[in-house]
Amino acid sequence: MTAPLTPPPRVVVIGAGIVGCSLADELTARGWTDVTVLDQGPLPAPGGSTSHAPGLVFRTSPSKTLSDFAGYTIEKFRSLEVDGLPCFNPVGGLELATTEERWAELHRRAGYAASWGIRGELVSAERCKELWPLLDARKVLGGFHTPDDGLARAVLACRAQMARAEERGARFLGRHTVTGIERDGGRVTAVVTDRGTFPADHVVSAAGFWGPVIGRMAGVDVPLLPLAHQYARTGPLPELEGVNDPRTEASRPILRFQDRDLYFREHTDRIGIGSYAHRPLPVDPFTVPVYDEAPVMPSSYPFTPEDFAPSWEDCRWLLPALADGDIEHGFNGVFSFTPDGMPVLGESRALRGFWLAEAVWVTHSAGVARAVAEWMVDGRPATDVHGCDLTRFEDAQRSPAYVAERAAQQFVEVYDVLHPLQPMERPRPLRVSPFHARQQELGAYFLEGGGWERPHWYEANAPLAEELELPERDAWSARHWSPIAAAEARATREKVALYDMTPLRRLEVTGPGALAYLQRMTTNNLAKKPGAVTYTLLLDESGGVRSDLTVARLAPDRFQIGANSRADEDWLLRHTPDDVRIRDITSGTCCIGVWGPLARDLVQPLTRDDFSHQGFGYFRARETYLGHVPVTAMRLSYVGELGWELYTSADLGLRLWDTLWEAGQELGVVAAGRSAFNSLRLEKGYRSWGHDMTAEHTPYEAGLGFAVRMDKGDFRGRAALERAGEPRRRLTALLLDDPAAVVLGKEPVFLDGASAGYVTSASYGYTLGRCVAYAWLPPLAAGTQVHVEYIGEKVPATVAEEPLFDPQMHRIRR
Ligand code: FAD
Ligand code: THG
């Protein structure tokens, strides 16, 4: 081996729990061997959450990212051993249903498993009893069995990874308490401890639920709340005598009884029981006792038997063998919850070189560590991590009050049956558009996203729905849905509708270098005269789609970007040269989409400007006035109809709404919500970033090659695209064959009876009279028959030619 030309960067990892240890292993495996892992407690069990984790690893999740993380943890820990003891015991997993609602949910979970490539099978109550003989099978309707899940031995896995990392040069130092982070010019330079200062080019906070404490030292918000969670062990059970090898402790599947917020595992002849059934027990991370003063260890609080009492009854109801037994030992163990239940990963932009790897379960630890190591070493993780990116939180989502309320709610809902559209109940309303009062008057049904109240349909349109004939929906797909959405979609296709587009993220990019900069950052050609709007993509270095944007050139040196998430702003800001300024103008402005064949009839009388097809072309922008309101008008439409996005400042928003509303009365204007919006955009084949495509996909795979101009000069991701071969998978449009069938997203798609991909987003297409589902599949010819599995039912579907609606663009370009 030749020595590297430059020494590897100096990395200091704070925390030697499962995340810190896994990260040291992954970094050193990639040649970053100058790694120092510091922990305040003694090694190898310094007293964090890892030190007492019972280690259940269930891989199935609605989140593909989490499922991939867990898959890698299983694969990796299976290959690790310490003193002949394996770090993973693949006893399998078993989730039980004792209610019809849960049984349906297990069918959906079996669907996620098939979508993400996890082995799993729905099984009868008898089979559950075979797998777990202590069960009272009469209580059970059935189960979901995942044979590859099992038990991680977290402390052992720490030791194994420590040893490997140490062989490659890493250091692990226990009894070093971090007290400060040093910085210079927006970069970290060192970590200060009670036993000296450690210079560093990169610092990773893997401090578990102490994350907010380390975050404060660095001036970085770490939006997590530590909560205690009860874990108890029974005494020895005669039924388990001689059943399990004490070295591996368990032979039967890890068990989940989500109907009562409980899980179980074997500890040789005892049973361990975890409960989420109790009240949230928040812990202030700033007041956690230090190792030497903690009664057991810092992450272990005294057991509160009164909180466990109802759960104990539930345990005995399910497992009659416990009737004579007792709890021998219990504790309230602390770990991290975030406002959306996802980890918090990534590098702070304000303090470069300072990384977070927080709020990570043992289950996801190795996968997270691999992703963060790739991110640090290669500049990008191979897995889509946008749902974990620390930049995902809006300003209003980082207040301690918000974090506390949402995280506690995550705890309460951890095992609940949650509909994909189900909103959090509190704190609401948080962000409202200037039209909120009018929307309320119209009976808006609000759901929440990014802190925004977003109308999904308006009860005021109910009379329009009466004449429609729509197929019956099953109870699940009928939740957070209304036939009114169909009426609103129809009004958009036949007349004209107003859509609140305020939550659409808007950035203003200005300065002499703005054009050259945006040309380098995106795929399409933006060198057009002011007044042009361009649909374009942000790619990472590997050619993965980081986002899709609209860029309006409003003046030679001024651009307005329509973006998807906060991560777009973050990404752009990370690469901004000195002669370019980027400002998020979302909050101070608002937007209404006026779309439908009568949009021009509505808008033209309000302005002296020429809004004809010749006077105001498709994908053009203009600053003008509508009535009393100064607006930026852009002629484009995510719903595939004639019309404009109209932007103005927040103070004038209500006036803009009222102006359009009044002008539209004689045309039959309606307010329309996101439910119709999503249906219309899917009929038109417009992708939704984060759902349909992510950084895991290239533009060609996602069907977005039309937005890439290889001949315009260099841009980020171009070199990777040049190397890209023929796509092996494609984002594919499906139409469900049965006009009454619906799917919602994330369902598995089967080709010739074998799982071949998964649905990204789906909606009933009211114009087409069929449900539209986009799916990742191997390249397939139009007309190919597949089936989607929806709550255990095989739903036939056919690969369709795109776009499904108005391929000649007659409706938009006129
Ligand atoms: P930790 O293990 O907490 O490590 C963080 C380390 O940072 C600590 O060792 C701490 O000492 C150190 N540190 C903090 N501040 C400083 C400082 N200033 N200076 C130096 N060092 C510092 N997960 C599962 O996947 N499956 C389960 O079955 C499961 N069951 C659980 C049951 C219970 C009762 C509990 C409490 C948690 C459970 N979890 C489970 C969650 C899991 O334990 C944690 O999510 C995981 O261990 C977190 O690992 P970590 O490395 O991020 O944090
Ligand atoms: N409006 C604005 N900006 C946006 C969105 C928006 N940015 C984020 C997101 N939505 C981007 N998504 C799309 C997707 C498709 C189109 C616009 C934004 C679109 N595509 C046409 C097509 O594919 O035929 C035109 C493409 C072209 O001419 O190059 O209209 O909703 N402001």
Side-chain angles (χ1 to χ4, degrees):
M1 218 171 96
T2 49
L5 295 175
T6 45
R10 297 161 303 173
V11 182
V12 173
V13 177
I14 304 169
I18 193 66
V19 175
C21 293
S22 301
L23 184 60
D25 180 52
E26 295 287 337
L27 284 171
T28 54
R30 285 170 175 75
W32 280 26
T33 49
D34 191 344
V35 174
T36 305
V37 183
L38 302 172
D39 204 295
Q40 61 195 1
L43 303 179
S49 309
T50 305
S51 301
H52 56 55
L56 288 81
V57 179
F58 283 95
R59 197 183 150 192
T60 305
S61 157
S63 160
K64 179 174 180 292
T65 303
L66 291 187
S67 168
D68 288 351
F69 285 162
Y72 181 65
T73 303
I74 293 173
E75 180 192 321
K76 185 177 191 187
F77 289 7
R78 280 188 82 138
S79 72
L80 296 176
E81 250 185 37
V82 178
D83 303 336
L85 286 174
C87 292
F88 190 80
N89 183 1
V91 291
L94 180 63
E95 301 187 338
L96 301 174
T98 61
T99 62
E100 288 295 342
E101 195 197 11
R102 181 70 56 182
W103 189 222
E105 176 72 358
L106 293 189
H107 283 74
R108 286 186 287 271
R109 292 179 62 78
Y112 298 136
S115 288
W116 315 145
I118 302 166
R119 278 207 302 157
E121 186 187 15
L122 291 160
V123 295
S124 67
E126 294 71 45
R127 177 72 181 132
C128 291
K129 172 97 181 156
E130 271 170 41
L131 290 164
W132 242 81
L134 301 192
L135 280 176
D136 180 351
R138 289 167 309 177
K139 308 283 170 54
V140 176
L141 298 176
F144 177 50
H145 181 221
T146 43
D148 299 323
D149 287 341
L151 285 165
R153 305 185 71 149
V155 175
L156 227 50
C158 284
R159 286 173 55 195
Q161 295 182 95
M162 267 185 204
R164 244 172 31 182
E166 271 172 340
E167 274 172 28
R168 302 185 194 115
R171 294 188 285 177
F172 288 80
L173 303 174
R175 299 266 183 204
H176 280 67
T177 301
V178 173
T179 55
I181 309 286
E182 287 187 353
R183 73 193 81 187
D184 185 25
R187 270 208 78 89
V188 285
T189 54
V191 173
V192 184
T193 75
D194 57 345
R195 291 166 71 182
T197 296
F198 294 80
D201 305 306
H202 292 274
V203 174
V204 186
S205 176
F209 67 80
W210 286 271
V213 180
I214 303 295
R216 181 171 292 179
M217 296 175 196
V220 174
D221 285 330
V222 180
L224 67 80
L225 176 74
L227 285 155
H229 149 63
Q230 292 200 300
Y231 192 77
R233 260 184 218 212
T234 65
L237 298 176
E239 290 81 355
L240 287 182
E241 214 183 290
V243 169
N244 294 315
D245 178 349
R247 287 164 48 86
T248 51
E249 293 187 351
S251 57
R252 288 164 186 163
I254 50 175
L255 187 69
R256 269 179 172 169
F257 178 23
Q258 286 114 313
D259 289 323
R260 303 289 168 88
D261 294 315
L262 292 169
Y263 65 82
F264 304 88
R265 59 158 288 185
E266 294 172 323
H267 293 278
T268 314
D269 58 351
R270 295 162 164 82
I271 292 180
I273 305 159
S275 166
Y276 295 102
H278 52 84
R279 69 201 156 106
L281 298 164
V283 168
D284 178 356
F286 290 87
T287 62
V288 173
V290 298
Y291 190 90
D292 292 322
E293 283 161 26
V296 183
M297 55 172 120
S299 62
S300 178
Y301 279 58
F303 193 58
T304 48
E306 66 281 10
D307 287 312
F308 197 74
S311 291
W312 182 233
E313 288 312 308
D314 291 334
C315 295
R316 303 206 289 190
W317 180 81
L318 183 73
L319 308 172
L322 301 185
D324 307 321
D326 219 341
I327 294 299
E328 194 179 73
H329 171 77
F331 67 104
N332 292 3
V334 183
F335 71 109
S336 309
F337 283 79
T338 58
D340 56 9
M342 299 291 280
V344 185
L345 313 179
E347 186 198 25
S348 162
R349 194 179 68 250
L351 183 58
R352 302 301 276 272
F354 182 76
W355 296 77
L356 298 180
E358 303 281 9
V360 180
W361 288 31
V362 171
T363 301
H364 310 118
S365 56
V368 162
R370 178 172 70 174
V372 172
E374 289 166 346
W375 208 340
M376 295 174 73
V377 175
D378 309 330
R380 109 190 249 273
T383 316
D384 158 46
V385 293
H386 81 275
C388 308
D389 194 324
L390 68 99
T391 62
R392 72 188 180 276
F393 298 102
E394 303 282 334
D395 291 345
Q397 294 177 312
R398 291 202 305 265
S399 72
Y402 180 92
V403 173
E405 206 159 325
R406 282 286 162 104
Q409 213 176 329
Q410 286 293 335
F411 177 90
V412 171
E413 292 182 352
V414 74
Y415 282 166
D416 287 2
V417 175
L418 296 175
H419 190 276
L421 287 174
Q422 185 162 322
M424 286 277 187
E425 299 299 337
R426 294 189 318 270
R428 287 181 61 193
L430 192 58
R431 307 175 85 187
V432 297
S433 78
F435 330 125
H436 190 245
R438 296 292 179 268
Q439 294 168 341
Q440 281 179 312
E441 286 161 24
L442 294 170
Y445 182 82
F446 290 104
L447 297 177
E448 184 263 3
W452 290 101
E453 292 297 317
R454 300 196 295 190
H456 274 240
W457 63 83
Y458 295 87
E459 284 300 326
N461 297 324
L464 300 177
E466 274 162 22
E467 60 203 62
L468 297 178
E469 279 187 32
L470 289 169
E472 278 291 313
R473 285 202 168 203
D474 65 290
W476 185 251
S477 66
R479 260 193 225 179
H480 304 297
W481 175 85
S482 163
I484 298 169
E488 292 173 4
R490 185 167 177 180
T492 313
R493 292 268 187 252
E494 293 180 356
K495 290 181 176 164
V496 58
L498 305 185
Y499 287 85
D500 182 359
M501 298 290 286
T502 302
L504 174 79
R505 183 164 290 281
R506 293 174 285 288
L507 307 174
E508 186 185 72
V509 182
T510 52
L515 174 64
Y517 164 69
L518 290 172
Q519 286 283 64
R520 281 198 308 279
M521 291 300 288
T522 79
T523 58
N524 211 334
N525 187 15
L526 308 173
K528 299 175 188 159
K529 289 206 183 76
V533 183
T534 309
Y535 176 70
T536 188
L537 308 174
L538 283 181
L539 303 185
D540 62 25
E541 292 297 350
S542 306
V545 182
R546 281 199 61 107
S547 188
D548 63 339
L549 311 173
T550 58
V551 180
R553 190 172 195 186
L554 297 176
D557 289 350
R558 182 161 58 90
F559 296 81
Q560 182 171 318
I561 295 183
N564 283 300
S565 72
R566 239 191 126 80
D568 297 348
E569 182 199 9
D570 183 77
W571 176 253
L572 289 170
L573 282 170
R574 279 172 195 267
H575 301 98
T576 317
D578 290 341
D579 56 353
V580 175
R581 258 181 54 112
I582 299 181
R583 205 160 61 93
D584 186 325
I585 55 168
T586 314
S587 291
T589 61
C590 58
C591 178
I592 299 175
V594 186
W595 291 311
L598 302 181
R600 185 173 286 126
D601 303 273
L602 195 160
V603 176
Q604 184 64 79
L606 298 171
T607 174
R608 291 185 188 178
D609 256 313
D610 180 3
F611 271 52
S612 71
H613 182 50
Q614 290 71 31
F616 197 145
Y618 181 53
F619 264 75
R620 302 288 301 169
R622 175 177 300 173
E623 294 177 302
T624 180
Y625 299 90
L626 289 185
H628 297 279
V629 184
V631 296
T632 303
M634 291 186 203
R635 190 171 156 204
L636 63 102
S637 161
Y638 202 58
V639 301
E641 291 295 331
L642 173 68
W644 290 266
E645 289 177 352
L646 301 169
Y647 298 87
T648 192
S649 54
D651 54 337
L652 291 161
L654 194 57
R655 183 65 188 235
L656 176 63
W657 179 280
D658 288 343
T659 303
L660 296 168
W661 186 252
E662 274 162 38
Q665 282 316 299
E666 59 186 34
L667 302 170
V669 71
V670 302
R674 291 193 68 81
S675 196
F677 182 82
N678 197 40
S679 164
L680 297 167
R681 70 104 183 155
L682 278 163
E683 288 186 331
K684 193 70 190 113
Y686 291 163
R687 278 77 169 133
S688 169
W689 189 86
H691 295 104
D692 299 318
M693 71 287 188
T694 67
E696 285 184 6
H697 310 109
T698 70
Y700 304 120
E701 293 171 327
L704 296 172
F706 68 89
V708 180
R709 289 293 134 83
M710 293 299 267
D711 55 4
K712 76 158 186 175
D714 199 20
F715 57 85
R716 196 168 281 269
R718 186 178 183 283
L721 292 189
E722 269 181 339
R723 294 190 301 267
E726 271 299 297
R728 275 171 311 173
R729 55 183 176 178
R730 281 183 195 280
L731 188 58
T732 306
L734 302 176
L735 277 175
L736 304 194
D737 295 350
D738 176 356
V742 268
V743 299
L744 300 178
K746 302 192 179 183
E747 295 87 358
V749 182
F750 292 80
L751 180 68
D752 300 327
S755 171
Y758 59 92
V759 174
T760 56
S761 43
S763 168
Y764 201 77
Y766 302 106
T767 327
L768 298 168
R770 290 271 195 290
C771 182
V772 182
Y774 271 80
W776 281 106
L777 287 169
L780 297 174
T784 306
Q785 289 286 314
V786 298
H787 79 257
V788 182
E789 195 176 285
Y790 174 73
I791 323 188
E793 258 179 64
K794 290 185 169 39
V795 182
T798 304
V799 173
E801 199 89 61
E802 283 192 84
L804 306 170
F805 178 75
D806 189 25
Q808 274 88 42
M809 305 284 277
H810 289 316
R811 305 185 66 93
I812 308 187
R813 295 177 184 269
R814 61 171 165 174

